Amino acid sequence: MSETNIYLPHLMRIAKVTREAPGVKTFRLEFVDQAAADAFDFQTGQFGLYSAFGEGESTFCIASSPTRKGYIECTFREVGRVTAALADKEEGDVVGFRGPYGNRFPIEQWKGKSLVFVAGGIALPPLRSVIWNCLDLRDWFKDITIVYGARSVADLVYKHELAEWEARPDVNLVVTVDPGGETPDWKGKVGFVPPVVEALAPSPADTVALVCGPPIMIKLTLPVLAKLGFQPDAIYTTLENRMKCGLGKCGRCNTGSSYVCKDGPVYTLAQLNALPAEY
Amino acid sequence: MAETRFLPSESLDTFVKALRRDGRRVLAPTARDGRAELNPVEAAAEIDLEGLQTALSAKETVFPKVERILEYSLSGGGVDLRDVAPKAEPTVLLGVRPCDAAGFGALDAVFNWDTRDRFFNARREALAIVAVACTRADDACFCTSVGGGPGSTAGSDILLTPVQGGFLAELVTEKGAALAALCPDAFRPDPGLEKKVADLPMAFDHAALTASLQGRFEDPLWERQSLRCLGCGACAFVCPSCVCFDLVEEADAREGRRLRTWDTCGTALFTLHASGHNPRESQAQRWRQRVYHKFSYYPERYGRLGCVGCGKCTRACPVDMDLQEHLLEAAQA
Ligand SMILES: Cc1cc2nc3c(=O)[nH]c(=O)nc-3n(C[C@H](O)[C@H](O)[C@H](O)COP(=O)(O)OP(=O)(O)OC[C@H]3O[C@@H](n4cnc5c(N)ncnc54)[C@H](O)[C@@H]3O)c2cc1C
Ligand code: SF4
Ligand code: SF4
Ligand code: FES
């Protein structure tokens, strides 16, 4: 066996399980093997393939920040066979992990700029990695604005962290739930994400916008950002094509000649505009 | 560059036996059970060099239909994970056509463009290819339109071209020369024979096709061409250069294995998200992907085509989708 097996995952122990919302959990994972832990490094935006042995692998972004060492976190929604098997796991159980794969958010290029994060529903995890990374480098950036929306109050993920960001004077957090999703004691906004962003009207001057959410939210938010004056190369998002190998070989994630698993998942709107709209 | 020898017809058997004695499996086209396929052979008499093509391609020798990539045992919440070594038997492909030989280049481009795939490489290194040039072609063949040819040596370690009384043997690579050295008496000096292969005029210019695809993504052509496509995947499974695969689990409560299996962009499930969203919902989009992958994305990423013009897809298609005819149409701007 002269070459290594690129499909072989690392074993990781579930150090902590957090129930975020109905059907959504966060795992904190630690390498079983110390050598693997020592060799591991990643950047925001990258993803991994997580194994529930017996069922298969599933793709999730790494939701923790690379500035927080010793573990990684993923947050996932139970939607199918593999995610259901993962959701059944408990603290102490072992899962598989391959990664980090894919490209990353070029945060060092954003030094001196303001950042606007726009996330919807279960798509906060990829941005949460960037948010913590940028908050851990807070003096690199000017204003940091986070707009996060979910269908209902119950569907909001990372509730503790939302409270933490809310309390920070150096973060402008706006949380909204869809009309009808509010509870009697809800103090945030009520309304869909795109109009909330429009009303907030962040300045595009020296500002980078990051948008992650369900396709419909992205589709309606992009024109709002364009109207506010954001240029296509100042808007970042991530694509989620179905993946199997994560290594640019299985052929599943192609969008045009771009392998989302290698050239993505992070794309600027300018890059997306140059690709066939097959995502 | 390549050294040329003469291999008399009767010495082919000597060659096969020398390869077997050297511990190599010899896979060659046979007409067993009325079907032309690659099978292990012990003697030249078993080989069928009359048939034009096998239905399946030779890719299975390096990229099996199903292959184990890891194994594990489960107990409680724990996992005992085991790596798996590729089974790489020294093998000689004897009597495949130049198109099949060229197909390995397309597989190599994908399996090794970035990270290296151990399973592919172990088998590829253990494999030698002795192809036989084509003295005839059929309507499905278009190797000359995609940079190949009935007498092309690309991908072969030795190329045998049928001539009066035997074969002209071009020893293309070191590997090929080493095989010939296993039976030096069989490979005689070349008496200066002329290499004559099938005459297959080019049907289209592949550079023009690739250029034409640049502006045709939204062309109604794909819808029209794909109307009868069933999405059965036969075209991909017989193709020497189709690489797409799936990773699947086979397990019970105690133990399991992860397998790699052939897959194809021809099916709706290939890109279906768990949410129900599908970036390629229609068969027209999937047919377009097949054409673009081979004739636009491959050239863009790897500087080569993802098709060798063997025509196996056309011959295998249950509804007579003729790739050459469709490409001709697409190449005409
Ligand atoms: C880069 C990237 C990042 C992502 N990040 C996150 C994240 O942070 N959090 C998150 O929750 N999600 C994320 N996703 C989405 C996530 O990968 C999917 O939701 C998840 O993998 C699908 O769940 P599953 O494996 O349980 O579904 P599966 O059970 O594998 O089913 C997936 C689909 O395939 C079909 N299917 C599967 N197997 C078969 C079969 N054998 N035969 C027929 N049909 C079959 C099913 O019909 C289903 O529609 C991300 C995706 C990508 C690409
Ligand atoms: S073999 Fe023919 S019908 Fe089947 S997927 Fe290929 S083109 Fe379509
Ligand atoms: S697409 Fe068809 S003609 Fe081209 S290599 Fe594959 S099987 Fe042969
Ligand atoms: S996931 Fe296999 S090529 Fe991208």
Side-chain angles (χ1 to χ4, degrees):
Chain A
M1 272 190 260
S2 51
E3 299 188 35
T4 53
N5 182 354
I6 52 178
Y7 306 102
L8 194 68
H10 293 292
L11 294 181
M12 296 196 93
R13 197 171 301 285
I14 303 174
K16 192 169 145 206
V17 179
T18 309
R19 185 179 293 277
E20 301 284 357
V24 181
K25 282 182 175 171
T26 296
F27 283 171
R28 176 171 292 193
L29 301 171
E30 292 170 1
F31 285 95
V32 169
D33 176 21
Q34 190 55 42
D38 294 342
F40 185 76
D41 202 9
F42 76 99
Q43 301 285 335
T44 57
Q46 292 193 290
F47 65 90
L49 277 127
Y50 302 75
S51 295
F53 292 101
E55 291 298 347
E57 289 179 303
S58 215
T59 316
F60 313 127
C61 69
I62 301 175
S64 50
S65 166
T67 50
R68 313 287 168 98
K69 303 281 183 197
Y71 63 86
I72 57 166
E73 287 179 334
C74 65
T75 300
F76 62 94
R77 191 203 291 277
E78 196 183 324
V79 285
R81 283 225 325 256
V82 180
T83 45
L86 286 171
D88 278 346
K89 306 266 179 225
E90 293 165 3
E91 280 171 22
D93 286 353
V94 169
V95 297
F97 172 83
R98 290 195 283 134
Y101 293 143
N103 69 351
R104 63 197 191 89
F105 288 102
I107 55 175
E108 66 288 343
Q109 287 174 24
W110 305 338
K111 259 187 187 176
K113 294 185 193 253
S114 294
L115 308 175
V116 177
F117 296 91
V118 183
I122 177 71
L124 184 55
L127 293 189
R128 179 216 194 202
S129 173
V130 201
I131 291 171
W132 278 119
N133 197 351
C134 293
L135 290 177
D136 287 346
L137 302 165
R138 186 63 188 87
D139 54 354
W140 280 21
F141 308 101
K142 290 196 289 198
D143 299 341
I144 292 186
T145 304
I146 304 168
V147 181
Y148 175 46
R151 232 171 321 173
S152 73
V153 176
D155 286 314
L156 293 166
V157 297
Y158 307 132
K159 293 187 180 69
H160 282 297
E161 288 165 48
L162 294 175
E164 224 178 297
W165 297 339
E166 172 86 79
R168 282 177 75 133
D170 59 352
V171 174
N172 177 21
L173 176 75
V174 178
V175 182
T176 182
V177 296
D178 291 356
E182 69 272 29
T183 50
D185 58 347
W186 174 242
K187 296 194 188 60
K189 287 198 183 301
V190 175
F192 295 105
V193 168
V196 168
V197 173
E198 186 160 13
L200 192 69
S203 161
D206 256 351
T207 304
V208 167
L210 294 87
V211 187
C212 278
I216 181 72
M217 187 214 88
I218 297 185
K219 201 170 154 230
L220 295 176
T221 302
L222 293 178
V224 169
L225 291 172
K227 205 162 120 191
L228 292 171
F230 283 84
Q231 295 301 308
D233 59 359
I235 301 174
Y236 289 79
T237 190
T238 61
L239 289 190
E240 289 200 350
N241 274 3
R242 206 177 143 132
M243 294 181 181
K244 279 289 178 174
C245 69
L247 296 159
K249 302 204 189 295
C250 75
R252 197 168 304 260
C253 69
N254 289 127
T255 289
S257 66
S258 191
Y259 282 110
V260 176
C261 67
K262 295 296 299 183
D263 309 327
V266 177
Y267 293 88
T268 65
L269 181 57
Q271 288 168 327
L272 283 190
N273 288 342
L275 291 178
E278 270 195 317
Y279 43 82
Chain B
M1 201 196 318
E3 200 188 333
T4 305
R5 306 275 186 86
F6 176 67
L7 179 70
S9 299
E10 61 276 14
S11 296
L12 188 59
D13 193 55
T14 316
F15 186 36
V16 172
K17 296 204 163 110
L19 294 171
R20 291 291 298 134
R21 256 199 316 279
D22 194 45
R24 295 163 197 259
R25 180 173 60 142
V26 178
L27 293 178
T30 64
R32 284 177 204 163
D33 313 319
R35 239 180 104 80
E37 292 300 355
L38 294 168
N39 280 304
V41 297
E42 299 295 335
E46 298 171 60
I47 305 176
D48 170 31
L49 292 179
E50 295 308 308
L52 180 60
Q53 293 245 1
T54 50
L56 290 169
S57 81
K59 77 175 168 198
E60 243 186 303
T61 50
V62 289
F63 176 36
K65 288 190 197 87
V66 181
E67 166 165 41
R68 227 173 251 225
I69 56 169
L70 58 91
E71 303 173 334
Y72 48 81
S73 315
L74 305 169
S75 56
V79 180
D80 171 25
L81 183 62
R82 292 186 299 276
D83 199 354
V84 169
K87 285 200 188 72
E89 222 183 314
T91 300
V92 176
L93 270 174
L94 180 58
V96 294
R97 300 298 176 186
C99 50
D100 250 323
F104 290 94
L107 304 181
D108 186 55
V110 175
F111 281 127
N112 289 321
W113 75 275
D114 181 42
T115 44
R116 290 174 56 80
D117 186 291
R118 171 216 276 184
F119 299 93
F120 171 84
N121 287 321
R123 289 209 188 75
R124 185 68 190 88
E125 278 153 27
L127 181 74
I129 301 170
V130 181
V132 173
C134 301
T135 49
R136 60 190 179 88
D138 71 9
D139 288 349
C141 295
F142 60 95
C143 57
T144 49
S145 301
V146 290
S152 166
T153 56
S156 298
D157 295 299
I158 298 179
L159 180 69
L160 301 177
T161 304
V163 289
Q164 187 70 40
F167 306 91
L168 219 70
E170 291 170 80
L171 311 183
V172 186
T173 65
E174 297 277 322
K175 229 184 207 178
L179 293 185
L182 293 172
C183 48
D185 295 344
F187 289 85
R188 311 248 176 92
D190 172 22
L193 296 167
E194 195 194 347
K195 177 173 168 177
K196 268 175 77 181
V197 298
D199 179 26
L200 184 65
M202 267 174 62
F204 59 86
D205 175 45
H206 66 79
L209 168 66
T210 299
S212 164
L213 290 177
Q214 290 297 324
R216 294 198 99 141
F217 198 76
E218 302 295 348
D219 202 300
L221 172 86
W222 310 116
E223 182 72 49
R224 203 169 63 238
Q225 289 191 347
S226 67
L227 279 177
R228 65 180 190 274
C229 174
L230 308 168
C232 66
C235 49
F237 297 144
V238 299
C239 177
S241 51
C242 269
V243 194
C244 292
F245 61 80
D246 198 359
L247 298 176
V248 297
E249 214 88 345
E250 189 181 76
D252 58 29
R254 282 175 301 128
E255 57 178 20
R257 51 208 73 90
R258 189 162 294 163
L259 309 172
R260 170 160 73 188
T261 66
W262 289 356
D263 205 347
T264 166
C265 62
T267 72
L269 287 175
F270 194 65
T271 49
L272 180 66
H273 292 199
S275 65
H277 170 66
N278 192 347
R280 290 201 283 270
E281 281 185 299
S282 71
Q283 200 56 35
Q285 289 171 317
R286 300 191 278 273
W287 169 249
R288 176 178 64 189
Q289 166 67 16
R290 181 167 175 78
V291 173
Y292 270 75
H293 199 193
K294 290 180 174 296
F295 299 95
S296 178
Y297 308 154
Y298 251 76
E300 218 177 297
R301 281 199 89 92
Y302 313 120
R304 58 157 296 142
L305 294 170
C307 169
V308 293
C310 63
K312 288 184 200 285
C313 54
T314 300
R315 290 181 211 104
C317 180
V319 293
D320 295 329
M321 294 274 284
D322 184 330
L323 181 62
Q324 180 177 198
E325 184 187 303
H326 289 332
L327 295 178
L328 249 163
E329 195 186 0
Q332 278 151 14

